[in-house]
């Protein structure tokens, strides 16, 4: 498939702007064909106006129709595998195997939402029937369900160029909810974005979806993104990226005449607590597991374990030695962009310059550009507690080993933590009993709490929470991964006194969609 | 019961401040005993710090324990009926019958949340079990449920001194969710607030709830409320009142280092569309119904029908005549405060000064202070469409009759509407068929859409939505009335790889709480 470098505004390609930019191959530093034409303010406006027009029709499509659309997108993407992976490897430096896996995750995610729509109960239907005889006033018939918010702006992430990008979780859940989507492509992988965008546009046409249900705008300048967030017809924003980027969008949205929700996933250092008993038993396995988790995707996972807290002991020393061995034997790999590699290197330098922080071990530099070399640092619990900066995410293959003297220091670290996406505790059954208070403290800090696992790898399922208290996200009440993500783009409405024929299918008396409903306070199951 | 005028900080009364204020009897203009002592910044801080300490214990109370607490509050309030109603009548000018009804609504609301907790399924438990044999990577065990956000600040409303105040819907839903509450009493009814606050504090003690689960601070100055919103340990805000007040809290919360959710219900003019067919059939009944709804509680309901849209016809003239008759025959009544009465009068004057607006009829002035005299105004659809100010709420017993020439003008009015709490359509079956597009337009503008009813009267039930798009509220995704209000104060958490013994009861394998759960994608009913 030939790239055009143009924006996709509903069913047309558009290139009115004069500013162009190129994708770079991080492995070589070379610019890649073609020139991408940055969207103008008028083009962003056109995309949003089309989305608003599409919304009136799209929100009235049945769940089954929307499910077919999502399945068709998945099908289009699956067919595009080789083209997509080839271009994406060039733009991101990520290996083919990883990208094939990520494509599978992306199509699986779309199909999961399609199945959610076919099942239909996600709308949370609630029915309270009338009682005309109630005194002193008759009881009305009231019925509630979730409906779509309106056009949604989505900002693709750099680190998952498929699963958190143009057809990623934000787009899939917004389209599932009934919201048209205007995606701002991440400038690090504009070609991948165009390929995916065209696949979605084709699926929309094949499924007779209204023109404007999906648009893609390109841009390296922040003005393009700002135009989306400021547009009065945009009703919600999905974003995955840095704290700075996410917080700027949040502030922009709060300043609008009509403030709108912003779901920004803004990074996390995902603390891992290794308890004394399990370190005594499994120091080698744990070190191997941690080293693997730290280096997964060259450390460019939102759930990378950036802080590891241990307690000083002979076994902890063995654990550290093993970790050092694994890391010093590791080979570097290409990071997503030169800028990310630079930030990673300077983040490490800034930590090491603290002189309370030392290097435990560093991997080997391979050939090629933008090499992320794994490195483990260490510090003491008291130094960590005294310096809040050490908690900040360093995006890349690293973890900061924090050595505590006792349980109290571990608890104090947990108590002082900011919000994170995840926290993890490794422990024997006895450890976990002895540290029940640690688990309780961590529960307040994160969206996902793991025992005896590693946080990298976010299962796409009904029960996942990829979210957590600020500053990990801008809205702890939601998740950006898993089926619960759909309610980010909906709101409840109550219909009072409606004749059955005017009610939406989900709320009609005969339950034609055969969904779970709360009827007069009792759950009534689908048949 | 003697009033102390003091703040209630957990289990002690406190009056460290120097500033005092009095409640006024709006019917006489006289100050009422006693002097209330405004909370200092230190007292607000103390209340919040106590709430945070209480949170650790309170959030771990079982649903049944929290249900007992809510039921005990309801019991305490019911026993206090005569004292409460006597004081509240003095402070608000509302008649005894109305306040007894409102107290019933308040205790009923507490008991409804207690029942929700006993049933238990509201936590939205989701379980996806492990599959260690899955390739390429094993599937982990993940389990999700809703948990409490943390200490909540609640701002009592003036217009429902019981049901939307100290023990109102915000407090009931936050306590139900597992969040301690710090209430800022509305300065128009501080005595009522103190009585209710003491009842809650007694219930907390009787139920062995942790000290600080509830506090009440008094204050007429905005600094007291600001101190609550700005406090870093406060994690969410509930508010019912004016747009200016609610938007100021929203902005304050968005500016915090850690932004927090603000649920502000900020007013609405609740447009009512009377379609041609039903006006031809029932002009008198509709006029009587509307006149009653307009005057309910001296027009001081959030859901007061402030705009009524009709189509010119002979029958519409009859409707208007009947409305005029009803209104001109009406007797005024005491409004909540002199300030509210002044705002009402100046709101009407400002509309009438437009010279595109005329008075249809005005009621009679009775004896006593702060009299709200009902008045109906009218204008044309084209004038209404041309002047967005006419859509703004005038809080009091009034409605603006908007006369349109045809269906198109009605649709244009609907299309141009801001967000409101409710919209209503009166119509015959044929009308409703002919105006299906009107219903679809209104669906996007409101939280509750009514057919052939009046919007005043908000049923407390599972399916109610008392909310709606901005500027009606600051968060259209939520309701402040009904059981769905509980999730305003919770967030999801995912437990991964937890041994059964460490899981919360709601997620344990054996389902000991016997609640509805989504297990491996299938709903499993309570037994």
């Amino acid at each position: 498939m030939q790239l055009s470098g143009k924006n996709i505004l509903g069913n047309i390609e558009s290139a009115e702007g004069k500013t162009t930019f190129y994708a770079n191959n991080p492995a070589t530093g070379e610019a890649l064909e073609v020139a991408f034409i940055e969207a103008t303010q008028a083009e962003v406006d056109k995309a949003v106006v089309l989305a608003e027009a599409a919304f009136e029709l799209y929100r009235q499509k049945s769940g089954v129709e929307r499910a077919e659309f999502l399945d068709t997108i998945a099908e289009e993407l699956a067919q595009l595998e080789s083209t997509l992976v080839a271009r994406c490897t060039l733009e991101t430096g990520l290996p083919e195997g990883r990208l094939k896996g990520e494509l599978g995750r992306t199509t699986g995610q779309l199909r999961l939402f399609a199945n959610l729509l076919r099942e239909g109960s996600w709308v949370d239907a609630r029915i309270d029937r009338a009682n005309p005889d109630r005194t002193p006033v008759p009881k009305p018939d009231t019925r509630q369900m979730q409906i779509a918010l309106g056009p949604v702006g989505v900002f693709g992430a750099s680190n998952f160029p498929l699963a958190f990008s143009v057809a990623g979780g934000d787009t899939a859940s917004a389209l599932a909810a009934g919201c048209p989507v205007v995606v701002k492509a991440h400038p690090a992988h504009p070609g991948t974005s165009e390929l995916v965008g065209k696949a979605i546009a084709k699926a929309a046409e094949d499924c007779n979806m209204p023109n404007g249900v999906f648009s893609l705008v390109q841009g390296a300048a922040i003005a393009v993104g700002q135009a989306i967030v400021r547009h009065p017809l945009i009703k919600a924003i999905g974003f995955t990226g840095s704290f700075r980027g996410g917080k700027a969008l949040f502030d922009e949205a709060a300043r609008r005449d009509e403030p709108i929700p912003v779901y920004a996933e803004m990074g996390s250092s995902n603390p891992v607590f290794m308890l004394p008993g399990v370190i005594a038993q499994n120091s080698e396995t744990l070190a191997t597991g941690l080293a693997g988790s730290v280096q997964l995707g060259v450390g460019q996972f939102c759930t990378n374990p950036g802080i590891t807290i241990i307690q000083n002991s002979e076994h902890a020393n063995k654990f550290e030695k093993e970790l050092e061995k694994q890391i010093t034997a590791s080979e570097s790999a290409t990071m997503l962009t030169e800028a990310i590699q630079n930030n990673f290197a300077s983040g490490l330098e800034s930590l090491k310059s603290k002189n309370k922080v030392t290097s435990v071990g560093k991997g080997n530099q391979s050939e090629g550009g933008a090499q992320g070399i794994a490195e483990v640092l260490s510090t003491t619990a008291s130094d960590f507690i005294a310096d809040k900066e050490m908690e900040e995410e360093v995006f890349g293959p690293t973890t900061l080993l924090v050595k505590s003297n006792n349980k109290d220091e571990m608890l104090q670290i947990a108590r002082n933590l900011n919000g994170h996406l995840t926290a993890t505790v490794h422990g024997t059954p006895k450890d976990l009993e002895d540290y029940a208070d640690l688990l309780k403290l961590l529960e307040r800090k994160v969206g996902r709490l793991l025992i005896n696992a590693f946080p990298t790898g976010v299962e796409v399922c009904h029960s996942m929470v990829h979210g957590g208290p600020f500053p990990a996200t801008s809205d702890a009440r939601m998740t950006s991964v898993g089926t619960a993500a759909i309610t980010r783009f909906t709101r409840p409405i109550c219909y009072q006194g409606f004749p059955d024929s005017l009610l939406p299918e989900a709320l009609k008396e005969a339950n034609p969609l055969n969904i779970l409903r709360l009827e007069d306070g009792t759950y009534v199951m689908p048949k």
Side-chain angles (χ1 to χ4, degrees), chain A:
Chain A
M1 198 184 281
Q2 197 73 30
L3 292 173
S4 72
K6 296 182 180 175
N7 304 285
I8 303 169
L9 309 184
N11 58 15
I12 62 149
E13 288 190 88
S14 177
E16 292 172 6
K18 300 261 178 285
T19 313
T20 59
F21 67 100
Y22 290 84
N24 279 287
N25 183 337
T28 64
E30 286 165 350
L32 294 163
E33 280 302 320
V34 299
F36 289 87
I37 300 105
E38 197 153 272
T40 62
Q41 302 272 321
E43 285 175 310
V44 170
D45 181 61
K46 191 168 177 188
V48 178
V49 168
L50 277 175
E52 164 62 24
F55 181 51
E56 266 315 306
L57 301 164
Y58 186 59
R59 74 192 190 92
Q60 294 179 57
K61 296 277 180 191
S62 70
V64 172
E65 288 169 307
R66 295 206 298 270
E68 270 166 38
F69 178 32
L70 294 179
D71 275 343
T72 307
I73 298 172
E75 195 47 50
E76 289 291 333
L77 292 176
Q79 283 178 22
L80 209 61
E81 186 185 72
S82 56
T83 315
L84 208 46
V85 168
R87 174 74 191 190
C88 197
T89 297
L90 292 176
E91 289 186 331
T92 65
L94 294 171
E96 188 185 303
R98 143 74 192 268
L99 288 175
K100 282 189 178 171
E102 192 181 326
L103 181 60
R105 180 192 176 90
T106 309
T107 56
Q109 193 160 256
L110 287 158
R111 292 188 171 112
L112 182 67
F113 279 108
N115 289 338
L116 187 79
L117 295 180
R118 288 205 182 84
E119 198 283 325
S121 303
W122 73 272
V123 297
D124 192 17
R126 296 155 173 250
I127 294 174
D128 293 293
R129 298 191 177 84
N131 177 3
D133 302 328
R134 192 182 66 175
T135 54
V137 286
K139 181 169 178 287
D141 183 283
T142 52
R143 295 172 187 236
Q144 184 196 121
M145 67 179 285
Q146 295 288 321
I147 63 170
L149 277 182
V152 168
V154 168
F155 288 75
S158 68
N159 62 338
F160 281 81
L162 301 170
F164 284 81
S165 193
V166 179
D170 287 342
T171 298
S173 52
L175 290 177
C179 300
V181 171
V182 176
V183 175
K184 158 74 172 61
H186 196 286
H189 55 266
T192 306
S193 297
E194 182 185 326
L195 291 170
V196 173
K198 281 178 176 163
I200 300 177
K202 179 169 187 306
E205 215 168 318
D206 288 353
C207 296
N208 288 314
M209 289 296 146
N211 183 30
V213 71
F214 173 82
S215 288
L216 177 78
V217 293
Q218 299 277 4
I222 60 166
V224 179
Q226 279 173 339
I228 296 176
V229 179
R230 289 177 184 167
H231 201 294
L233 296 174
I234 286 287
K235 297 302 179 191
I237 296 291
F239 168 91
T240 300
S242 68
F243 177 80
R244 231 180 93 204
K247 185 61 166 52
L249 292 182
F250 176 88
D251 291 340
E252 193 76 67
R255 272 194 301 267
R256 286 169 46 126
D257 285 345
E258 177 192 347
I260 53 172
V262 170
Y263 306 107
E265 195 258 86
M266 307 186 288
S268 166
S269 28
N270 305 295
V272 175
F273 292 78
M274 303 277 192
L275 302 186
V278 76
I279 284 266
Q281 281 180 17
N282 300 325
S283 59
E284 282 194 23
T285 325
L286 288 171
T288 309
L290 181 64
S293 184
V294 162
Q295 292 179 83
L296 213 58
V298 204
Q300 299 165 121
F301 276 31
C302 314
T303 52
N304 198 60
I307 301 168
T308 306
I309 303 102
I310 57 177
Q311 263 180 53
N312 291 318
S313 73
E314 184 192 324
H315 303 290
N317 293 341
K318 268 180 65 188
F319 168 82
E320 186 177 342
K321 278 281 164 224
E322 181 62 30
L323 192 57
E324 180 190 339
K325 194 177 116 194
Q326 302 261 350
I327 294 295
T328 49
S330 72
E331 294 298 323
S332 69
T334 303
M335 295 190 83
L336 292 158
T337 67
E338 222 171 277
I340 285 175
Q341 193 274 330
N342 284 337
N343 283 339
F344 173 56
S346 66
L348 289 176
E349 284 318 308
S350 152
L351 271 178
K352 285 190 280 186
S353 75
K354 285 183 187 296
N355 91 33
K356 307 282 187 177
V357 175
T358 55
S359 178
V360 172
K362 186 171 180 174
N364 306 293
Q365 172 134 22
S366 305
E367 289 296 299
Q371 291 297 298
I373 309 166
E375 183 162 8
V376 172
L377 308 178
S378 89
T379 191
T380 68
S382 53
D383 287 330
F384 182 81
I385 290 164
D387 183 352
K388 202 70 184 154
E389 267 178 38
M390 290 194 200
E391 192 183 331
E392 283 170 25
E393 181 179 24
V394 177
F395 191 72
T398 183
T399 195
L400 175 63
L401 208 55
V402 180
K403 299 173 182 177
S404 61
N405 287 311
N406 48 47
K407 180 180 169 182
D408 276 356
E409 283 192 343
M410 274 194 157
L411 293 182
Q412 205 185 329
I413 288 171
R415 206 174 286 117
N416 287 359
L417 283 174
N418 292 331
H420 290 275
L421 294 173
T422 72
T424 301
V425 176
H426 282 269
T428 61
K430 173 138 193 329
D431 281 336
L432 297 173
E433 209 174 286
D434 294 347
Y435 284 75
D437 38 3
L438 175 66
L439 286 166
K440 280 292 163 207
L441 283 173
L442 293 176
E443 203 174 50
R444 290 193 56 187
K445 306 292 187 174
V446 300
R448 180 164 56 114
L449 189 50
L450 299 89
I451 289 183
N452 293 330
F454 288 97
T456 40
V458 180
E459 190 69 22
V460 182
C461 58
H462 300 289
S463 57
M464 181 46 58
V465 178
H466 192 63
F470 188 91
T473 79
S474 57
D475 194 334
R477 295 163 296 172
M478 304 287 173
T479 172
S480 64
V481 174
T483 54
I486 194 170
T487 49
R488 295 179 300 166
F489 303 115
T490 64
R491 65 177 178 92
I493 188 166
C494 173
Y495 301 92
Q496 180 170 330
F498 266 53
D500 201 60
S501 62
L502 292 178
L503 283 166
E505 298 291 291
L507 297 177
K508 282 191 201 301
E509 194 54 31
N511 195 3
L513 298 183
N514 190 31
I515 58 176
L516 175 77
R517 309 199 293 194
L518 184 61
E519 301 187 6
D520 297 320
T522 302
Y523 291 100
V524 179
M525 283 287 274
K527 285 188 191 80

